[in-house]
Amino acid sequence: MLKVLLDMVKNAKHRKLDLNNNSTTVMKKLLIANRGEIACRIIDTAREMGIRTVAVYSEADRTSLHVDLADEAVFIGASPVRESYLDIEKIINAAKETGADAIHPGYGFLSENAEFCRSCADNQILFVGPSADAISSMGSKSAAKKIMEKAGVPLVPGYHNEDQSPATLRKHSDETGYPVLLKASAGGGGKGMRIVWNADEFDESLDSAKREAMASFGDDKMLVEKYLTQPRHVEIQIFCDKQGDGVYLFERDCSVQRRHQKVIEESPAPGMTHELRSAMGKAALQAAEAINYEGAGTVEFLLDKDGSFYFMEMNTRLQVEHPVTEMVTNQDLVEWQLKVACGEPLPLAQNQLKLSGHAFEARIYAEDPENDFLPASGIISYLKTPAISRHVRVDTGVRQGDEVSVYYDPMIAKLIVWDESREKALMRLSSALREFQVAGMKTNTIFLYSLANNQTFRDGDFDTSFIAKHQKELFRKAELDTSIHLPLIALYLILHQEKSASQSAASSLEPNSPWNYSNAWRLNETLAQEFKLEIQQKEYTAEVEQRKRREQLIYKISFNGVVAEAFGELDGELLRANLNGHQHRVYVSGDENSYSLFVDDLHVDFKVSQPDLGLDEEAALGHGLAAPMNGTVVALLVGPGEKVKKDDALLVMEAMKMEHTIRAPCDGKVLEFFYQAKDLIDGGSEILSFEEN
Ligand code: ADP
């Protein structure tokens, strides 16, 4: 069997192999040379196909989800990628050690590394991807262009030859006509690219593009392209098998980009015609054929306003955004990859592939959109993802409590939605984004929500400069609506406090727990509390008065004279709140004193300064020495019948990790304590009876 594998890897190109369905038995164990969501996603399909999986992990990923999901996991070194995920030898050794007969490289890392691909073959391990030669030929943008030019695939006008003298590059830029784009031939991730608007800017732009390219790729070779001012980025998913057949699985529009990197992708591309799609599909397959391609690949094009399209580059691997294609074709592209790698023919022919409905993918990043999308890191203190259905898919590699580390890409998840039309899919996207809640670091969810709801985007009227052009509408802060958000926060705090106390009560085995006492409440008797909040660097004070109406606790919440009447219930992080008769469904997460309120599309972080629980102590005491909040009795400080002076301490209770002293309201004596030390007290309950002198 191994020999068959070897033969396939080394010289199977365009050779008719007749492995048919036996081939799935060829791959018994698959090592995934990647991490995060893509590792998890590949593990899922492999498992469904009955293939055992091996994960590899670095120091930072010891407890990561992909490690848990795989059947086996091998530690491959320190957190920096060079010492783990990019270390070819360690990964090959991990495969040999575990007896993995194949390696899936995912995307990024070693996925487009021809040396790694060769190394797999040398070690008799099947590489899930194209041949090393195909990878090499597309590795350099200029070499790729030459191949495509020869194959008759349309190119953006420009220059992509060897002579790299500044004079030559300038001459070709002048000839091409400004604006031009200087691009690193070895480029990726939008790095080493500079737009040159006119000849005067040329020298400076060339220097900085070269510097960035050298720093990022160790290679400062440049190419010149006509800079299209309003293009769309439309790419074609292709698939080729070892038998020499190829199909295209339609297009993805990835024009919504920040810093030349994709943010939202969709399929089909808005406004795409059948003719244009076939023309682009044909050109993409021509590109694949030119390099005897095998497996999954993506041919990226720039689509100009007039419908002309130009080859940009070919990615010889699975793309981040492959799920949108899966949703509109109802196919599992990883399954296709594994089958094709094993020598099986393509699962479907071109005429069997159907494009159905519309799908979007939004990339949820730990980053700060308001600060030039600066990557963020930290512990995900709270993570709530929308409910999964046939319309909503979430691909992620993290769980609540995991860390988004500084070592890797800060993508937290991919949210993918599908519906019958673009409009319906957008509605799904928008509502799923509202339910995508992450706390612990800055994320782009509000930004994505603004994008999904932007009218111009909804109209499908966008190009690659969309984000830059629509800055004002897209970048908005979580605007605090004090009349709604503040009462919701206060209501949450008070319900949370009560819930904590009732949980302690429930776990207490005290037979005489006063928890069930209801006689402590007196109609029209009020209790007050104060919460000091810090929101967006501003301080707010909430006063909450509680009273009982029939069996329902009602809260009067005041902020700066604005009063709301509220009640509600807390179910985990879900707060069902009734504010002035209006029912709200919001989420609050947090611990200690830092919280996040998720309301509609907004995410409001707030802090609670030390709550002054005994604020209205005198009022409380004046009403018969009632407990100001739910809590536990710590100590009784005087005996029954003992005479006391005003303000003498009578009893200490504890709530929200703070002690609170109940004092004598005036000279007099305690007739009776209704509770003993360690008893739980319901907020509002009478603690003791007191007789005034
Ligand atoms: P990288 O490999 O670094 O991602 P690409 O060549 O794929 O670089 O280009 C990234 C993005 O830059 C494209 O999606 C597109 O938005 C923009 N771009 C690239 N070439 C051009 C061009 N000639 N004119 C206008 N925009 C371009």
Side-chain angles (χ1 to χ4, degrees):
M1 196 59 81
L2 220 50
K3 190 173 176 317
V4 174
L5 266 176
L6 244 183
D7 286 350
M8 273 162 35
V9 173
K10 286 194 168 157
N11 50 32
K13 244 177 277 166
H14 294 257
R15 193 160 57 85
K16 291 271 175 197
L17 289 178
D18 190 21
L19 293 176
N20 295 328
N21 292 329
N22 295 337
S23 49
T24 46
T25 58
V26 170
M27 194 186 297
K28 290 195 180 113
K29 202 186 253 191
L30 175 69
L31 181 140
I32 297 105
N34 216 300
R35 63 177 301 282
E37 68 86 19
I38 192 62
C40 299
R41 192 256 163 275
I42 295 164
I43 291 169
D44 267 0
T45 292
R47 173 155 301 146
E48 255 173 51
M49 293 171 72
I51 300 168
R52 289 183 64 76
T53 52
V54 182
V56 288
Y57 65 96
S58 69
E59 189 65 48
D61 277 335
R62 276 186 185 281
T63 57
S64 290
L65 185 60
H66 76 283
V67 175
D68 281 4
L69 291 181
D71 296 311
E72 285 171 70
V74 181
F75 176 70
I76 49 163
S79 308
V81 290
R82 300 231 157 265
E83 292 169 53
S84 45
Y85 298 108
L86 287 183
D87 189 323
I88 294 178
E89 201 183 322
K90 282 182 181 166
I91 290 176
I92 296 284
N93 284 342
K96 290 207 294 206
E97 196 184 298
T98 52
D101 43 28
I103 293 184
H104 194 309
Y107 55 68
F109 293 142
L110 295 169
S111 61
E112 290 178 293
N113 185 313
E115 188 196 332
F116 179 56
C117 178
R118 277 192 202 100
S119 201
C120 287
D122 291 347
N123 287 280
Q124 306 173 359
I125 299 164
L126 180 64
F127 177 79
V128 180
S131 66
D133 288 348
I135 294 177
S136 308
S137 50
M138 290 296 126
S140 143
K141 285 186 208 266
S142 30
K145 285 197 164 198
K146 278 183 210 143
I147 297 171
M148 293 308 144
E149 199 169 32
K150 238 171 125 186
V153 180
L155 301 183
V156 193
Y159 170 80
H160 47 258
N161 283 327
E162 297 311 311
D163 184 353
Q164 286 288 303
S165 71
T168 305
L169 293 172
R170 175 189 269 276
K171 178 176 151 269
H172 285 282
S173 298
D174 291 347
E175 277 172 19
T176 305
Y178 295 94
V180 297
L181 187 66
L182 294 173
K183 229 185 229 188
S185 177
K191 293 205 185 82
M193 275 204 302
R194 291 289 180 281
I195 303 168
V196 190
W197 292 99
N198 55 58
D200 294 344
E201 290 177 2
F202 182 84
D203 291 337
E204 199 187 322
S205 303
L206 179 65
D207 285 349
S208 73
K210 272 178 170 287
R211 268 196 311 273
E212 194 171 286
M214 191 47 111
S216 306
F217 317 109
D219 175 353
D220 64 359
K221 188 173 181 195
M222 286 288 140
L223 49 93
V224 176
E225 275 180 15
K226 173 84 194 152
Y227 181 70
L228 307 179
T229 49
Q230 291 181 302
R232 300 226 318 250
H233 172 125
V234 177
E235 57 185 36
I236 304 286
Q237 174 73 57
I238 57 123
F239 241 104
C240 301
D241 59 19
K242 293 175 197 281
Q243 287 78 349
D245 289 323
V247 293
Y248 63 92
L249 290 93
F250 317 111
E251 78 280 1
R252 293 184 286 259
D253 191 318
C254 314
S255 304
V256 181
Q257 303 180 345
R258 47 120 178 78
R259 285 205 246 110
H260 301 298
Q261 286 178 306
K262 301 159 186 170
V263 181
I264 290 189
E265 301 97 346
E266 61 180 294
S267 184
M272 178 58 82
T273 61
H274 177 70
E275 290 69 32
L276 183 56
R277 176 175 295 131
S278 328
M280 292 181 85
K282 247 175 83 184
L285 284 175
Q286 245 169 289
E289 204 173 302
I291 54 167
N292 291 334
Y293 200 74
E294 292 167 15
T298 294
V299 184
E300 296 188 335
F301 293 103
L302 283 173
L303 176 62
D304 211 351
K305 275 207 124 139
D306 62 3
S308 25
F309 58 90
Y310 308 98
F311 171 83
M312 216 174 357
E313 66 171 343
M314 179 166 180
N315 291 323
T316 53
R317 53 168 164 84
L318 193 67
Q319 299 270 92
V320 176
E321 59 274 20
H322 74 275
V324 291
T325 301
E326 297 188 318
M327 298 293 260
V328 292
T329 57
N330 208 16
Q331 299 299 314
D332 179 335
L333 297 194
V334 173
E335 183 184 345
W336 278 49
Q337 281 191 298
L338 299 180
K339 286 183 168 170
V340 164
C342 286
E344 282 191 47
L346 289 169
L348 293 176
Q350 192 67 55
N351 60 8
Q352 293 173 305
L353 280 159
K354 298 272 173 295
L355 181 62
S356 130
H358 203 103
F360 283 94
E361 174 182 277
R363 303 189 188 189
I364 317 270
Y365 276 106
E367 66 180 15
D368 185 1
E370 283 155 33
N371 194 0
D372 199 21
F373 298 95
L374 201 72
S377 58
I379 306 280
I380 302 173
S381 57
Y382 174 64
L383 178 66
K384 184 183 161 290
T385 54
I388 306 303
S389 67
R390 75 187 177 95
H391 293 280
V392 178
R393 161 174 168 183
V394 175
D395 284 15
T396 187
V398 295
R399 297 158 292 198
Q400 184 167 304
D402 284 354
E403 183 174 4
V404 175
S405 89
V406 292
Y407 297 107
Y408 314 115
D409 185 85
M411 189 167 75
I412 295 172
K414 303 187 307 202
L415 170 64
I416 307 109
V417 298
W418 178 92
D419 213 318
E420 287 157 358
S421 66
R422 187 173 190 268
E423 204 184 345
K424 285 184 182 173
L426 265 174
M427 270 163 53
R428 298 257 176 214
L429 179 63
S430 165
S431 73
L433 278 167
R434 263 204 312 259
E435 294 190 21
F436 211 111
Q437 302 167 355
V438 190
M441 69 207 61
K442 292 224 187 269
T443 72
N444 65 343
T445 52
I446 297 176
F447 174 73
L448 290 171
Y449 184 87
S450 304
L451 258 175
N453 286 280
N454 180 280
Q455 194 51 50
T456 318
F457 179 65
R458 295 186 89 92
D459 293 342
D461 178 16
F462 57 85
D463 54 54
T464 52
S465 60
F466 179 77
I467 291 180
K469 269 192 213 146
H470 293 263
Q471 293 259 2
K472 270 207 188 117
E473 307 129 70
L474 298 176
F475 294 85
R476 72 198 167 99
K477 270 212 157 61
E479 274 171 44
L480 196 69
D481 181 341
T482 47
S483 64
I484 295 177
H485 301 157
L486 295 186
L488 285 172
I489 289 172
L491 180 66
Y492 165 79
L493 290 171
I494 200 120
L495 293 178
H496 181 59
Q497 177 182 306
E498 272 168 12
K499 198 162 184 177
S500 309
S502 84
Q503 275 162 355
S504 330
S507 60
S508 150
L509 296 174
E510 292 284 320
N512 298 325
S513 165
W515 186 245
N516 296 325
Y517 291 8
S518 55
N519 59 358
W521 281 97
R522 298 282 179 271
L523 214 60
N524 300 326
E525 192 173 284
T526 58
L527 278 162
Q529 268 201 62
E530 191 180 87
F531 293 103
K532 281 197 172 19
L533 307 173
E534 192 192 309
I535 308 170
Q536 294 170 355
Q537 278 101 46
K538 273 198 183 157
E539 294 216 333
Y540 299 86
T541 303
E543 282 172 27
V544 184
E545 274 181 24
Q546 75 181 38
R547 69 176 71 230
K548 206 165 191 184
R549 191 191 290 155
R550 295 191 199 96
E551 284 311 299
Q552 175 81 60
L553 280 179
I554 309 284
Y555 304 92
K556 195 173 120 191
I557 302 171
S558 328
F559 279 98
N560 304 334
V562 181
V563 180
E565 195 178 76
F567 59 89
E569 59 180 38
L570 202 53
D571 179 2
E573 270 91 9
L574 171 64
L575 169 65
R576 288 191 200 87
N578 188 300
L579 264 192
N580 297 325
H582 184 156
Q583 192 73 27
H584 296 260
R585 213 181 128 88
V586 302
Y587 291 83
V588 186
S589 81
D591 47 36
E592 296 296 328
N593 295 324
S594 281
Y595 301 85
S596 304
L597 167 75
F598 297 92
V599 49
D600 297 326
D601 56 313
L602 290 183
H603 169 168
V604 181
D605 291 323
F606 62 96
K607 282 192 176 130
V608 187
S609 338
Q610 289 303 324
D612 185 359
L613 297 168
L615 168 86
D616 224 346
E617 190 178 318
E618 282 199 1
L621 292 170
H623 283 88
L625 292 167
M629 79 297 267
N630 297 331
T632 315
V633 177
V634 176
L636 309 180
L637 302 175
V638 295
E642 200 175 308
K643 282 193 178 162
V644 291
K645 292 241 175 299
K646 181 176 187 294
D647 289 336
D648 276 357
L650 308 177
L651 174 146
V652 179
M653 61 181 289
E654 189 196 79
M656 289 182 90
K657 295 183 188 148
M658 284 178 68
E659 285 199 350
H660 177 73
T661 306
I662 308 289
R663 295 177 185 278
C666 49
D667 295 355
K669 65 179 171 198
V670 174
L671 296 176
E672 187 186 355
F673 283 105
F674 301 128
Y675 297 96
Q676 300 304 315
K678 293 192 188 152
D679 280 354
L680 293 149
I681 305 188
D682 193 355
S685 310
E686 257 179 319
I687 305 173
L688 48 89
S689 62
F690 189 83
E691 190 183 79
E692 204 177 328
N693 262 358

